[in-house]
Structure formats: structure tokens, C-alpha cells
Amino acid sequence: MSTIKDILNGWTNYLHIKGHKTLVLEEAKKRAKICVDCPHIRYGKHAAVLPEAQIGEIQGHYCNDCKCPISVKVRSVNDTCPLGKW
């Protein structure tokens, strides 16, 4: 389950507040590949609000299990998939 700290970490990394983090992006891409094939991924209105220039296949998607935008969830360093997939 995501904590407030995990959620804020994901948003920080999504917004690049602390600058570009190559290792975070590499891990996010690995996680995104798993999420794209997951039956819990859904397309929502996030595309209009959360553009995804670096991992295009997850743009506008969210997890139907935890309701988190995938773009943010995969970038949260200490967070985990609620289904145990990563």
C-alpha cells in the first residue's frame, strides 16, 4: 500500500523537481512494461493532465486496483505494485 511519502516521491520524480534522475527513469520504464500488460491498467482522463513524454505507452493510464496514475506510480522509488508485480 502506498504511503503519503511514496506518493509524494512519485510526484516529485514525475515533475522532475529534484532534476533528471536517470536511475529513476530506468526503473520506471521497467515497471511500466509490466503495467502495460496488466489486466488492471485502465485508460482515464489523466492524459489531458499528465502528459507522458518519456514513457508514452502509459500516458493517460491508471491502476484500477490502487487508482494511482501509472506515470506517477512507476516513479515512486520505494512504492510497490499493489498486486506484487514489481
Side-chain angles (χ1 to χ4, degrees):
M1 173 171 266
S2 300
T3 65
I4 296 295
K5 184 178 177 181
D6 294 331
I7 294 167
L8 290 175
N9 179 259
W11 278 105
T12 299
N13 292 327
Y14 172 78
L15 296 171
H16 304 287
I17 292 172
K18 294 182 180 177
H20 182 72
K21 293 184 176 182
T22 304
L23 293 176
V24 171
L25 182 58
E26 288 176 16
E27 184 64 24
K29 286 180 179 181
K30 290 176 189 175
R31 292 175 174 186
K33 285 183 182 181
I34 296 167
C35 293
V36 166
D37 293 328
C38 180
H40 293 270
I41 194 169
R42 299 286 187 274
Y43 186 80
K45 297 180 182 180
H46 300 98
V49 184
L50 299 172
E52 179 57 73
Q54 297 173 317
I55 314 172
E57 63 266 25
I58 59 172
Q59 181 169 338
H61 288 83
Y62 68 95
C63 175
N64 197 42
D65 191 70
C66 67
K67 309 301 184 207
C68 292
I70 300 295
S71 293
V72 174
K73 182 81 171 176
V74 298
R75 286 179 171 88
S76 181
V77 176
N78 295 318
D79 206 352
T80 59
C81 168
L83 302 169
K85 295 185 176 194
W86 47 263

